[in-house]
Each structure stands twice: as structure tokens, then as C-alpha cells.
Amino acid sequence: MALRHAVLAALLDEELSGYQLTKAFDLGVANFWHAQPQQLYAELARLEKEELIAGREVVQDTRPTKRLFRVTDAGAAELERFTAAATKPSFIRDDLLVKVQAADHVDGRTLIARLTERAAFAQAKIDLFGELLRAMRGDRDEEEFLRHGERVGPYLTCLRGLAFEQGNRDWCERAAAALRERAAARSGP
């Protein structure tokens, strides 16, 4: 997947400015695709040049003029092509796992601290995803929303982000507990 497809998908439901797109990435898209704001602005320029998105200027009374972008028919066709293509399996690439791999040869207390930090970060994201999911479905329960709600795609990707972070938290807590138990057993009574 290229950044272009994540940007096109983020622009499907509404026109967004570059600033709004960076916020959309921070809140929703970031659970499956990370990009820096400068990468997003550069990608917007490329997509507009390729006519996969169209931009328009909006003059504001008390603020600078802004550009809003929307997906063109060619952009929608590109997303359709991308969606039809085979999907590669995902893989984990995480520096914390490299550190844990070396657990038998490094300071366990430092490693436990890193695992505890990551678990706390995951919990914060779990809380955020919970809020986002509740906001998206409103008064409906989840099953009703999944059957009849609008914008089910962002909801489903948010669910995946939630499950991912729950898995991260649970694994970090288990790994830290195992390292603590091993350290206690080595130090004896």
C-alpha cells in the first residue's frame, strides 16, 4: 500500500484541507497508516497533479485562504483498482520486540520499564478508540451500527486499531510480569 491510497480513502467522505487531513490521520487513519504532516502535504500535491484529487480555494474572512481537496472520479477508480488487487500479509516491525529478544542479555529493569511505558501508551489508545467508536455509532449498539450505520469502513478500521492496541497492552503486561518473575526467582528468597 502506498500513502496515496490512505489519503484517497481519507478524502472519500468529505472535502478536507491539508490541516484537517493531518487531524483525520491522527485520529483514525493512524491506527493503520502513519504519516508526518509534511508527507501528507507532499502527497496531496502529487495526487492533485495526477488529477486523482481536486483542490479548491476557500477564502475565509478572519483566517488565511485554505485549500479543500476531494477525490475525483479518477481517484475513486484508483481506489477501486487498489481494493481489487491482492493484499500482502502484514508483518510486525517493532524495536521493542528487538529489545525483548535480547532480554537474557540486557538489564531486565530497563526492559520492564519500556514494556510498562508501551502498555500505558496502548491503554491510552484503547481509551481513544473506545471514545471514537462510541461517537461514530451514537445511540446504537455495535451490531445495529455494523448492519445499518453510515461510514462502516472507518468504524471497522477503528475496531482493528482497538484490537491491535489491546493485544499490545496484554502482551506488554505479560512480558513484563514474566521478566519480573524471572528476576525474583534469580534473586531468591
Side-chain angles (χ1 to χ4, degrees):
M1 173 171 73
L3 176 58
R4 67 191 298 114
H5 300 113
V7 170
L8 287 169
L11 291 172
L12 281 174
D13 291 318
E14 61 183 324
E15 285 185 310
L16 297 174
S17 68
Y19 176 78
Q20 291 168 317
L21 181 65
T22 62
K23 293 301 173 200
F25 262 69
D26 284 347
L27 290 176
V29 180
N31 77 74
F32 61 89
W33 191 270
H34 176 73
Q36 297 293 328
Q38 59 270 27
Q39 292 173 296
L40 292 172
Y41 283 103
E43 193 60 40
L44 285 170
R46 279 190 288 277
L47 290 169
E48 188 171 26
K49 184 177 180 184
E50 295 174 30
E51 298 182 351
L52 298 177
I53 63 171
R56 68 180 179 94
E57 297 211 346
V58 176
V59 177
Q60 303 179 99
D61 291 332
T62 59
R63 305 183 114 193
T65 298
K66 68 178 177 179
R67 287 185 61 73
L68 294 178
F69 299 93
R70 66 171 175 75
V71 176
T72 63
D73 289 343
E78 171 60 20
L79 267 177
E80 191 69 40
R81 183 203 60 72
F82 172 73
T83 301
T87 301
K88 298 176 186 174
S90 59
F91 61 91
I92 299 173
R93 183 176 172 175
D94 187 339
D95 64 341
L96 182 58
L97 290 175
V98 175
K99 295 173 184 182
V100 172
Q101 176 73 21
D104 300 310
H105 305 281
V106 298
D107 181 358
R109 293 170 299 190
T110 302
L111 196 50
I112 290 167
R114 297 297 78 77
L115 288 160
T116 303
E117 288 168 358
R118 179 70 66 87
F121 178 79
Q123 185 60 55
K125 297 239 0 202
I126 290 165
D127 296 342
L128 175 63
F129 285 133
E131 291 172 23
L132 288 171
L133 289 165
R134 281 188 294 280
M136 281 190 250
R137 71 176 176 261
D139 295 336
R140 299 182 212 183
D141 69 29
E142 187 164 273
E143 292 309 312
E144 179 185 349
F145 181 82
L146 289 172
R147 281 192 302 276
H148 306 291
E150 294 180 20
R151 300 191 67 216
V152 72
Y155 193 88
L156 290 170
T157 60
C158 195
L159 276 178
R160 177 62 183 114
L162 176 64
F164 178 79
E165 292 301 344
Q166 288 169 331
N168 280 339
R169 179 203 57 207
D170 295 349
W171 177 81
C172 287
E173 289 173 350
R174 182 174 184 197
L179 292 172
R180 280 189 203 97
E181 288 173 17
R182 290 175 61 88
R186 277 194 300 270
S187 64

